[in-house]
Amino acid sequence: MKIRDYQLEAKEKTLQYFYEHRNIGDNPLVVMPTGTGKSVVIAYTVKEILEKWGNQRIMVITHVQELVEQNFKKFKQLWPYAPAGVYSAGLNKKETFAPITFASIGSVAKKAHLFKHIDLILVDEAHLISLEDTVMYQKFFAAIRIANPFMRIVGYTATDWRTGQGKLTEQYMKRNGTVVEPLFTGYAINLSTPECFS
């Protein structure tokens, strides 16, 4: 599986972000237009992280089984013998043994105890994550942080905007005046402008 120049840049900028931003709460956002191969970037990023730091436990999470399956197949195409499993009720798979797990948030939201120590979570379609504490993503992140407070998150999305919240990298004010800090603190890369592909 070949990687295009802009996909390689997205992978490299993600790793660079972690080198340059070492604080616990620094989580990068990767913005790539629909159809530009987020699953390829995710695959290459996960492979390189596990090859360089073999003791990492990684999860790739999204909201629908079709994307779980797509991301997993793309990853196995790149690395056929990768130590990876799938946890998705819709795909009838509940594998927890591997260092890398591809999962649907609906299936793992209340199952954080099965995964124990997770170092990195990559979220496909990250603009769907609400900042409200009561949603599945936030509950899952909070449960994982109990076992590993140093856990980091990378968000992949075609848009850095969430309706009713605003930019994913900016503070959000609730109706009661409470200010909520963003989950994603900066951009690893933003390829949403046309000149990025010219």
Side-chain angles (χ1 to χ4, degrees), residues 11-69:
K11 188 254 308 180
E12 293 295 330
K13 292 279 181 133
T14 302
L15 298 177
Q16 181 182 338
Y17 190 96
F18 285 126
Y19 283 119
E20 295 176 356
H21 303 83
R22 296 178 179 265
N23 293 333
I24 296 170
D26 283 338
N27 299 312
L29 193 63
V30 176
V31 182
M32 298 177 64
T34 302
T36 56
K38 291 191 296 293
S39 60
V40 173
V41 176
I42 290 170
Y44 274 90
T45 302
V46 170
K47 184 174 187 286
E48 182 163 338
I49 289 171
L50 204 66
E51 286 178 338
K52 286 187 174 179
W53 301 279
N55 62 339
Q56 299 292 296
R57 286 186 62 87
I58 302 169
M59 292 191 78
V60 179
I61 303 178
T62 190
H63 65 299
V64 292
Q65 68 185 49
E66 291 81 8
L67 285 177
V68 174
E69 186 172 36

Side-chain angles (χ1 to χ4, degrees), residues 161-186:
W161 185 270
R162 177 176 170 82
T163 303
Q165 177 183 313
K167 271 196 146 182
L168 299 182
T169 54
E170 295 178 357
Q171 290 178 332
Y172 160 63
M173 183 177 290
K174 295 183 179 182
R175 290 181 181 175
N176 65 5
T178 304
V179 174
V180 181
E181 294 300 321
L183 177 62
F184 302 105
T185 50

Side-chain angles (χ1 to χ4, degrees), residues 57-185:
R57 286 186 62 87
I58 302 169
M59 292 191 78
V60 179
I61 303 178
T62 190
H63 65 299
V64 292
Q65 68 185 49
E66 291 81 8
L67 285 177
V68 174
E69 186 172 36
Q70 174 185 303
N71 289 337
F72 179 71
K73 284 183 175 178
K74 192 64 71 173
F75 183 64
K76 293 295 273 189
Q77 184 182 342
L78 171 65
W79 191 4
Y81 302 106
V86 172
Y87 198 101
S88 172
L91 296 173
N92 202 27
K93 291 186 177 181
K94 294 188 176 181
E95 301 163 344
T96 60
F97 58 87
I100 306 163
T101 303
F102 289 78
S104 57
I105 187 60
S107 296
V108 300
K110 296 181 180 178
K111 305 288 184 182
H113 62 281
L114 297 177
F115 300 97
K116 298 179 182 176
H117 187 102
I118 297 294
D119 298 288
L120 179 65
I121 296 176
L122 296 85
V123 181
D124 192 2
E125 303 291 318
H127 60 281
L128 297 176
I129 302 173
S130 170
L131 291 179
E132 297 294 333
D133 294 336
T134 56
V135 299
M136 288 189 291
Y137 273 113
Q138 297 295 357
K139 285 183 175 181
F140 184 73
F141 297 155
I144 293 296
R145 285 193 184 103
I146 292 172
N148 180 14
F150 300 101
M151 181 268 294
R152 306 282 291 275
I153 302 166
V154 182
Y156 294 82
T157 182
T159 176
D160 60 349
W161 185 270
R162 177 176 170 82
T163 303
Q165 177 183 313
K167 271 196 146 182
L168 299 182
T169 54
E170 295 178 357
Q171 290 178 332
Y172 160 63
M173 183 177 290
K174 295 183 179 182
R175 290 181 181 175
N176 65 5
T178 304
V179 174
V180 181
E181 294 300 321
L183 177 62
F184 302 105
T185 50

